């Protein structure tokens, strides 16, 4: 079940990406194992995953090889620190 904190994290990240892509092209996917934020470009591609269920909250961002790099966050406001990294991931997916 999607939590309020996950929805809030989605809205923060979608807002950070709004200058790069239309917000309707960014959605979330909540599975039993992860909460992911996706971008639609021909198919849905992961921008990041967020894990708020553990003691140490985490933002996981894929690198060029699609391996996730883990960043620990204290609060949802810490997500803003990773705006450049998230836009970097998004730019990999943009068809120009």
């Amino acid at each position: 079940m999607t939590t309020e904190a996950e929805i809030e994290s989605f809205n923060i990240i979608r807002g950070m990406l709004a200058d790069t892509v239309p917000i309707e092209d960014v959605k979330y996917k909540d599975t039993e194992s992860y909460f992911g934020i996706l971008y639609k470009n021909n198919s849905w591609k992961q921008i990041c995953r967020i894990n708020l269920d553990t003691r140490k909250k985490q933002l996981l961002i894929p690198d060029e090889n699609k391996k996730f790099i883990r960043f620990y966050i204290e609060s949802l406001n810490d997500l803003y620190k990773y705006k450049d990294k998230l836009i970097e991931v998004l730019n990999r997916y943009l068809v120009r």
Side-chain angles (χ1 to χ4, degrees):
M1 186 170 131
T2 307
T3 66
E4 280 186 41
E6 288 169 333
I7 296 295
E8 186 178 346
S9 65
F10 167 70
N11 287 328
I12 288 169
I13 290 174
R14 186 173 61 171
M16 288 190 290
L17 303 176
D19 291 338
T20 309
V21 295
I23 60 169
E24 59 270 7
D25 289 349
V26 179
K27 73 170 191 172
Y28 69 85
K29 179 178 183 177
D30 194 1
T31 70
E32 286 184 28
S33 57
Y34 70 87
F35 180 84
I37 298 178
L38 312 170
Y39 167 68
K40 184 178 183 179
N41 157 2
N42 299 329
S43 63
W44 290 97
K45 302 184 191 290
Q46 276 198 56
I47 299 167
C48 66
R49 290 182 181 178
I50 297 174
N51 185 349
L52 303 175
D53 295 337
T54 60
R55 253 186 319 120
K56 293 188 175 186
K57 296 170 178 43
Q58 304 168 35
L59 172 66
L60 297 102
I61 300 177
D63 65 13
E64 298 83 16
N65 300 314
K66 298 180 182 172
K67 293 182 103 179
F68 283 91
I69 301 168
R70 187 178 318 262
F71 300 94
Y72 292 101
I73 57 175
E74 295 293 321
S75 72
L76 295 183
N77 283 332
D78 288 347
L79 294 172
Y80 291 104
K81 297 176 187 175
Y82 301 99
K83 179 179 180 176
D84 291 341
K85 291 186 182 303
L86 294 168
I87 289 174
E88 181 182 310
V89 171
L90 190 59
N91 282 330
R92 280 190 237 135
Y93 300 144
L94 295 176
V95 176
R96 301 201 187 249

